[in-house]
Amino acid sequence: MATAQNAATVPGSPIQQAFENFSAMSGRQKMALLAALAASIALVVGVLLWSKSADYTVLFSNLEERDGGAIVTALQQQNVPYKFTPGGGAIMVPSDRVHDIRLQLAAQGLPRGGMVGFELMENQKLGVSQFHEQVNYQRGLEGELARTIQSIGSVANARVHLAIPKRSAFLRDQQKPTASVFVNLRAGRNLDGAQVAGIVHLVSSSVPNMSNDSVSVIDETGKLLTDSNDPTRAAGLDPTQLRYVEDLEAAYVRRIETILEPMVGRGNFRAQVTADVDFNRIEQTDEIYKPNPSPQQAIRSQQSSEVLTRDPGAQGVPGALTNQPPVPATAPITTPATAGATGADSNILTRNTNATTNYEVDRTIQHTKRALGAIRRLSVAVVINHRTTVDKNGKESTVALADEEIARINNLVREAMGFNADRGDSLNVANSAFAEGATDALPELPVWKDPELIDIGKLALRYLIVIAVLAYVAFGVIKPLLKSLAPPPADDAADEGGEGASRQEKAYDEDGAEVTLSESARQNISYEAKLAQARDTAKNNPKLVANLIKDWMGVNEEARK
């Protein structure tokens, strides 16, 4: 350390020479030198801070004045830099701290959103009347319902107004509570029937003795969203059914596009699908009986009966016929009975035979419930652009597709759409030249409009500006200052014979006489040698020294002026 200090203060060293040169300058030159040096340092520091400045992003937007003031106060207490957008609609903070700041503000309950919830009941004062308690409870309930409704993605802000009547001891004098809900929807958003019904059920379920018909919902345009007399609903039209048909048709279009795009290219075809969807709810029960059972039908029961009526025979006094001898017996199997023969069946007068056979009843009971949204018919239309060809000269031309290609495309589309002739589906594939500009080919984005290249260009421009400023300060300010303060370098030149020839510097005295200075005067010699040389110069040439002193005094006088 001592060696370095001694070297810095040694007479004739570069640092000492720089101090001497600085001391030899006039006051105006010193001030200009210091101002240029200070401006260079400030410029370098400013550019470095600008290059490292953090990007700001939106912390909160569309705040009420009360919430905005509370958030700004909290940011100032935490020493967080912030700024406002030009319109003052949002507060911006450094992007690398936005999430931490949001969590810290959320811990403090900011932003409150201009509404209060049940936290209003936490700070109840002593001696509050029952009326004030009821009002605070109603305000808290309204705020909690509004916060819950705001959590829906399409709702930006919401307000709930409850009309809760005072309870009465008489049943006939009791009135049911009602509610009104105001919703401010986000840009381009809307609430469908299911979401509106959900809001209605949410509010009605949160208030005792409130029915769904007592809740009204309106949007920012004043349109009543809970109109029970909607003509579309009265006609049986459901928006969900229309969306289902659109989604179904879009799904078939995507199938066709997926199979045709590799063949003809993107943007060289159009496909449209029309679906006839049945939304009727049908439940059918059939009981069918066959007219004539088959011979193989199973017998359930069988019953037969036979009734015979016999002759009682001769009665009374025997006559001559009874005294005759009997007829010889004969076998009925081998010998047929004679006309006058009598047997066991000879006295049967009538015979009645009945047979009843019960078969199993052939009955079919069929209960049919058709699915909702079944497709009754599909109609598909596909148009394909002409094929583009290039001849030997590089000229483009359009050519119609061959019949084989049209047939192959027709078959592929049939399979993709699930063509069903029994259902009555129809398909039409046409080949036609598209009008100019009708294709879906996306135009090429210019290079200067590419977002990624724009970001890279901005970053590169920032670094280029920093480098340019640093180079200007280094070579335009610092280097000239060092040259003006540093001693002039010694120039050594070798002659042809290898002997060193000293470069001499010429000056002129007051009488115009030429004075030649040796090279030793310009070399980095010691202080004592310079002092001795100055004394010799003053002794040998006093006019030169006098003129030099006059010039110094004249400059000092001008500086004083």
Side-chain angles (χ1 to χ4, degrees), residues 92-109:
M92 303 180 69
V93 296
S95 57
D96 55 345
R97 301 182 56 186
V98 61
H99 300 292
D100 296 337
I101 295 172
R102 285 178 181 174
L103 293 177
Q104 294 174 4
L105 295 177
Q108 302 177 11

Side-chain angles (χ1 to χ4, degrees), residues 192-194 225 227-239:
D192 56 10
L225 303 179
D227 188 5
S228 59
N229 298 323
D230 191 355
T232 57
R233 295 185 180 275
L237 298 178
D238 191 354

Side-chain angles (χ1 to χ4, degrees), residues 117-440:
F118 281 128
E119 65 271 9
L120 186 65
M121 309 294 295
E122 297 177 357
N123 300 322
Q124 289 290 336
K125 297 181 181 180
L126 185 63
V128 177
S129 63
Q130 185 178 2
F131 174 76
H132 283 85
E133 289 184 352
Q134 182 64 26
V135 170
N136 291 336
Y137 170 76
Q138 183 171 339
R139 288 180 58 194
L141 183 58
E142 291 175 352
E144 293 294 335
L145 289 174
R147 290 175 181 176
T148 306
I149 295 173
Q150 284 182 3
S151 61
I152 300 176
S154 302
V155 179
N157 294 312
R159 295 194 65 181
V160 179
H161 302 279
L162 299 178
I164 302 177
K166 187 177 180 180
R167 294 185 179 181
S168 175
F170 300 97
L171 183 62
R172 61 184 179 183
D173 295 337
Q174 288 183 357
Q175 298 179 359
K176 291 185 178 181
T178 58
S180 300
V181 181
F182 173 81
V183 291
N184 187 7
L185 304 180
R186 301 184 186 274
R189 301 289 187 88
N190 56 2
L191 294 176
D192 56 10
Q195 291 176 324
V196 174
I199 294 175
V200 171
H201 283 278
L202 172 67
V203 176
S204 63
S205 301
S206 302
V207 181
N209 300 325
M210 181 179 289
S211 61
N212 295 337
D213 298 335
S214 301
V215 181
S216 301
V217 181
I218 62 174
D219 59 4
E220 70 277 6
T221 61
K223 179 182 178 181
L224 183 61
L225 303 179
T226 56
D227 188 5
S228 59
N229 298 323
D230 191 355
T232 57
R233 295 185 180 275
L237 298 178
D238 191 354
T240 58
Q241 296 178 358
L242 300 179
R243 283 196 299 271
Y244 173 75
V245 174
E246 293 177 356
D247 295 341
L248 184 63
E249 293 174 351
Y252 279 102
V253 171
R254 285 194 298 269
R255 290 183 183 179
I256 298 173
E257 290 178 350
T258 303
I259 199 170
L260 290 184
E261 186 172 346
M263 297 181 59
V264 298
R266 183 178 182 182
N268 289 324
F269 65 92
R270 292 287 189 277
Q272 290 293 330
V273 178
T274 302
D276 184 7
V277 183
D278 186 8
F279 291 103
N280 297 326
R281 298 178 181 271
I282 299 177
E283 294 185 6
Q284 183 178 357
T285 302
D286 297 333
E287 186 172 357
I288 303 173
Y289 294 90
K290 292 184 178 180
N292 296 317
S294 61
Q296 292 82 13
Q297 190 71 28
I299 297 176
R300 183 176 184 181
S301 62
Q302 187 174 10
Q303 182 180 3
S304 61
S305 61
E306 185 177 5
V307 179
L308 299 177
T309 303
R310 296 180 180 274
D311 188 4
Q315 296 180 0
V317 178
L321 295 177
T322 59
N323 295 327
Q324 295 179 0
V327 178
T330 59
I333 299 177
T334 58
T335 305
T338 58
T342 60
D345 297 336
S346 58
N347 53 356
I348 296 177
L349 297 179
T350 60
R351 176 180 293 177
N352 187 7
T353 303
N354 294 326
T356 303
T357 302
N358 295 324
Y359 295 92
E360 288 291 343
V361 177
D362 189 2
R363 184 180 62 173
T364 301
I365 299 177
Q366 183 178 3
H367 182 76
T368 303
K369 183 178 181 180
R370 296 183 181 180
L372 185 65
I375 299 176
R376 290 186 294 195
R377 186 173 181 270
L378 283 179
S379 300
V380 180
V382 179
V383 59
I384 302 173
N385 191 13
H386 284 178
R387 190 183 303 277
T388 303
T389 59
V390 181
D391 56 8
K392 297 180 180 180
N393 298 327
K395 184 179 180 181
E396 294 185 356
S397 61
T398 57
V399 180
L401 299 180
D403 295 338
E404 295 79 5
E405 294 179 347
I406 297 296
R408 184 166 63 252
I409 292 174
N410 194 347
N411 295 332
L412 290 175
V413 175
R414 279 174 176 267
E415 297 297 332
M417 63 175 287
F419 186 85
N420 188 356
D422 298 336
R423 193 171 53 189
D425 295 347
S426 62
L427 172 63
N428 188 4
V429 178
N431 182 217
S432 177
F434 285 4
E436 184 177 358
T439 59
D440 290 337

